[in-house]
Each structure stands twice: as C-alpha cells, then as structure tokens.
C-alpha cells in the first residue's frame, strides 16, 4: 500500500463535506478510480490530499504523513490536475510542457527537452507542439494539461476527470498510457472519473464516495454491481463482464432523484 487515507474530515464554509473517510488504499503501479455522483466529494478529497483544501485526518504516502512534508517536498512528490483547467499563458504547447518540467526536475536543458518530446509523442500531441495554448480545442487543452502533469514526475498523480473533454480514441489512448506509466514507474495514480465503463476497464481498484462518505472500495468486479449502482447513482443498469471483451456498464434509467424522492409515483 502506498497511499492510505483514514479519518479524513473536511469542512468548507460551514458545511462538513468529507465525513471521516477511512480505509482508502491505493497501491503503486495501479490505477485507482474515484467514482461517485456529482457533489459526492471526489474533488474535495483529491484537493485535501494535495493540501489545497484544509482537512484533518491521516494521509500517508510511502510511509510519510503528508502533513509533515514541506511545500517543496509535497510539490516534488504529488501532483493534482484539477477538474477545471484554464490557462491564459501566451505559450505554445511545447513551451508550456517544458515549463512544467523545469519547475520540478533538475536536469540539463537538453534532457528536459527530450522528456517533453517524449511526453508529447506519448499523448499524440507532437503535431501540436508549436500551437499556442490559447487556440487549442477543449480536448487538446486537456491532453496538454495531462502532459504537464506527467513530466513533473510525481510519485502520486491525481487526475480529476482527465478524460471529460476527450474523444473516444483519446479516452482509451490516454488511460492506456496512464496505466502503462503507472506500472512502469510504479506511480500511485488516482483518477476521479464518471465513465464507469472506463473505470471498470482501466482501474485496478475503485473507491466509491457518496455524500462525503466512503461507501465501498475494491476491485471493479467486486464493487461495480447492479445493486450498488442503484444505491449510489439511483439508476438501473446492466453490468457485464464478458470473458474476451472489456467490461460493460450500461445505464438503463434514472429511477428517482438522487438523495430524495422527487415526488413522481
Ligand atoms: N468552497 C466550497 N464551499 C462550500 N461548499 C463547497 C465548496 N466546494 C465544494 N463544496 C461542496 O462540497 C460538495 C462536494 O464537492 P466536490 O466538488 O468535491 O464534488 P465532486 O464529487 O467532485 O462532484 P463532481 O462530480 O460534480 O465534480 C458539494 O456539495 C459542493 O457544493
Ligand atoms: Mg469534482
């Protein structure tokens, strides 16, 4: 186990958002998917781990309590890619990714440029290297942000809905790449994601949050059940695990308003 979270509480304003989350475990070399409805607390959890939101409890990364790390040590070990990414920087794609690299990794300029070249190729961004950030499409911008995250070489990489703007090719391509990267470099990768087909296919481990509580965690095949999806998302769904094809989660219908009865008989 490389990242462990216990008794995590977070208040924002006068609301308690995370209610003593315990038993969350993520291993190096694996993809951990963080799922749950809108407002469940996924982003808040990732921000609490990143130190962006103040929280109480135990967050331990590689046997070190994260709270005991200096800001520089934290920046060297973990990176959080937010759900909303905006950049007004007047840089092209190559420069933006190079800048991200140079803020974290000590090496020669030539080595940094090689690393950026590699990252751009891996994310199929090489043909956009000279393009200004300001003119990129939403999905292109999202892939550049992922490139900026990986070139920093964090031990713990937290990505908040990194495929939300991507076309089908790039959803598969990016997650396949992140899976291989996690395995090769033994990174802890935690990805908040709404697409349960992608979570079922690429995650080794899943955390489910609902209303700021840890509802379940485990292997996709254990936790993604029809009954659990009904409880957590208020949907009926088919969940299939074919032997020679990727898993399939097919949402069929919303069965009531989440968190309350919407009054329709
Ligand atoms: N700064 C804040 N002040 C008060 N409440 C907040 C603040 N930020 C978030 N919240 C509330 O905390 C709850 C959890 O929000 P969070 O963004 O963590 O949800 P999420 O699971 O990431 O949802 P989504 O799937 O929509 O991204 C929501 O009810 C939200 O309204
Ligand atoms: Mg969120």
């Amino acid at each position: 186990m490389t990242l462990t979270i216990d008794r995590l509480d977070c208040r924002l304003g006068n609301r308690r958002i995370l209610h003593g989350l315990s038993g969350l475990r993520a291993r190096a070399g694996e993809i951990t998917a963080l799922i749950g409805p809108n407002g469940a607390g996924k982003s808040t959890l990732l921000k609490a781990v990143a130190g962006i939101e103040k929280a109480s409890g135990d967050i331990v990364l590689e046997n070190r309590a994260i709270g005991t790390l200096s800001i520089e040590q934290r920046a060297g070990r973990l990176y959080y890619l937010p759900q909303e990414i905006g950049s007004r920087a007047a840089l092209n794609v190559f420069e933006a990714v190079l800048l991200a690299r140079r803020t974290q990794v000590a090496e020669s300029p030539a080595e940094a440029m090689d690393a950026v070249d590699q990252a751009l190729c891996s994310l199929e961004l090489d043909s956009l290297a000279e393009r200004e950030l300001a003119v990129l499409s939403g999905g292109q911008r999202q892939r550049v942000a992922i490139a900026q995250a990986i070139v920093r070489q964090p031990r713990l990489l937290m990505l908040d809905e990194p495929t939300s703007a991507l076309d089908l090719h790039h959803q598969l391509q990016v997650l396949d790449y992140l899976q291989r990267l996690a395995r090769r470099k033994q990174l802890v990768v935690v990805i908040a994601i709404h697409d349960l087909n992608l979570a079922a296919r690429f995650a080794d481990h899943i955390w489910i949050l609902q209303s700021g509580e840890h509802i379940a965690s485990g292997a996709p095949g254990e936790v993604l059940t029809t009954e659990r999806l009904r409880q957590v998302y208020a949907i009926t769904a088919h969940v299939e695990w074919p032997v020679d094809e990727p898993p399939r989660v097919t949402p069929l219908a919303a069965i009531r308003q989440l968190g309350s009865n919407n009054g329709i008989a």
Side-chain angles (χ1 to χ4, degrees):
M1 292 297 175
T2 321
L3 172 68
T4 64
I5 298 170
D6 290 293
R7 291 173 289 282
L8 189 71
D9 252 84
C10 179
R11 298 189 80 87
L12 296 175
N14 55 12
R15 289 187 51 212
R16 194 169 168 220
I17 308 294
L18 301 180
H19 299 259
L21 302 182
S22 276
L24 296 170
R25 307 284 180 261
R27 287 193 189 85
E30 293 189 352
I31 301 274
T32 297
L34 170 55
I35 67 170
N38 293 140
K42 302 180 297 299
S43 297
T44 306
L45 168 59
L46 298 183
K47 287 182 201 166
V49 175
I52 297 165
E53 297 292 5
K54 218 165 145 273
S56 64
D58 303 327
I59 305 172
V60 178
L61 177 63
E62 293 171 335
N63 302 320
R64 269 297 289 272
I66 280 190
T68 65
L69 300 174
S70 67
I71 291 173
E72 292 76 25
Q73 287 173 325
R74 228 185 244 233
R77 273 169 227 213
L78 56 98
Y79 186 72
Y80 167 66
L81 177 63
Q83 189 168 356
E84 311 289 340
I85 40 173
S87 171
R88 297 182 194 288
L91 298 171
N92 69 29
V93 167
F94 189 91
E95 292 163 340
V97 179
L98 184 63
L99 188 63
R101 175 78 175 190
R102 303 228 41 167
T103 56
Q104 272 319 312
V105 183
E107 63 192 347
S108 71
E111 286 169 323
M113 288 167 83
D114 276 353
V116 171
D117 272 336
Q118 264 185 35
L120 295 184
C121 284
S122 300
L123 289 163
E124 301 182 352
L125 285 164
D126 37 327
S127 63
L128 297 176
E130 313 269 297
R131 194 88 58 93
E132 297 290 314
L133 289 184
V135 304
L136 295 181
S137 74
Q140 291 168 339
R141 179 76 196 92
Q142 194 166 37
R143 287 189 292 126
V144 173
I146 296 166
Q148 290 176 300
I150 61 171
V151 293
R152 288 179 163 93
Q153 294 192 319
R155 308 281 315 128
L156 166 61
L157 179 58
M158 295 178 284
L159 305 166
D160 202 343
E161 300 192 29
T163 54
S164 59
L166 303 190
D167 62 58
L168 294 176
H169 170 89
H170 286 107
Q171 290 176 17
L172 296 174
Q173 195 269 329
V174 163
L175 288 171
D176 179 68
Y177 173 65
L178 290 171
Q179 191 180 54
R180 284 184 288 115
L181 187 74
R183 306 236 192 293
R184 195 169 68 240
K185 307 258 185 190
Q186 287 297 298
L187 308 184
V188 182
V189 179
V190 182
I191 301 179
I193 191 160
H194 281 296
D195 187 322
L196 299 184
N197 281 296
L198 293 175
R201 176 168 179 165
F202 288 100
D204 302 284
H205 191 72
I206 293 187
W207 298 344
I208 305 184
L209 290 197
Q210 184 179 29
S211 306
E213 303 202 3
H214 174 201
I215 296 296
S217 54
E222 291 165 14
V223 298
L224 292 179
T225 61
T226 304
E227 187 46 35
R228 172 89 29 63
L229 298 183
R230 175 189 290 273
Q231 287 165 4
V232 174
Y233 290 99
I235 57 167
T236 52
H238 281 156
V239 184
E240 299 160 88
W241 302 89
V243 181
D244 47 4
E245 277 182 34
R248 282 197 287 273
V249 180
T250 312
L252 299 173
I255 50 179
R256 59 177 164 73
Q257 200 173 325
L258 261 183
S260 69
N261 186 332
N262 64 5
I264 299 171

